[in-house]
Amino acid sequence: MGIHIFPKSMNTKLAIGRCQSSLHVIDVPKSHFSVYVGENSLKRFIVPLVYLKHPSFKTLLNLAEEEFGYAHRMGGITFPCKEDIFIELVQNIQLT
């Protein structure tokens, strides 16, 4: 498991795993959910539900709840971290 990042053009895709990022709203596949990550501008990521069981992801969820709550105007959870840190976390999750 990992991460897919979709740049502004959906035709050019950088595949790193199974998590997706998009500037465009797309349907969330079965057994996945969306989160928003970033400091100045938020980027939407689609992550597998299985990540919810990982201790590092649980820690990030607790930080998100403390800082933002679980309600987000765009329908996903907002994580209080930089995008590159989130991507690194996802890559570490796929290694365990």
Side-chain angles (χ1 to χ4, degrees):
M1 298 192 174
I3 194 164
H4 288 290
I5 299 174
F6 295 101
K8 289 181 182 177
S9 169
M10 294 296 283
N11 296 329
T12 58
K13 179 172 70 171
L14 172 62
I16 307 174
R18 284 192 56 201
C19 180
Q20 300 174 353
S21 170
S22 174
L23 298 176
H24 306 283
V25 176
I26 57 173
D27 290 332
V28 178
K30 187 175 180 177
S31 74
H32 289 70
F33 64 103
S34 65
V35 297
Y36 293 87
V37 178
E39 292 184 316
N40 298 325
S41 63
L42 297 176
K43 193 165 186 182
R44 183 175 186 242
F45 288 85
I46 308 299
V47 295
L49 286 173
V50 70
Y51 285 14
L52 294 172
K53 295 180 180 181
H54 195 277
S56 296
F57 205 85
K58 287 180 184 180
T59 300
L60 193 55
L61 280 171
N62 290 334
L63 292 172
E65 180 185 26
E66 289 173 12
E67 189 161 334
F68 302 112
Y70 284 135
H72 189 277
R73 64 182 173 10
M74 297 192 312
I77 298 168
T78 302
F79 284 141
C81 68
K82 294 180 180 180
E83 185 181 328
D84 57 340
I85 291 173
F86 178 76
I87 291 170
E88 185 178 327
L89 173 82
V90 168
Q91 289 171 339
N92 288 336
I93 290 173
Q94 77 179 8
L95 295 175
T96 58

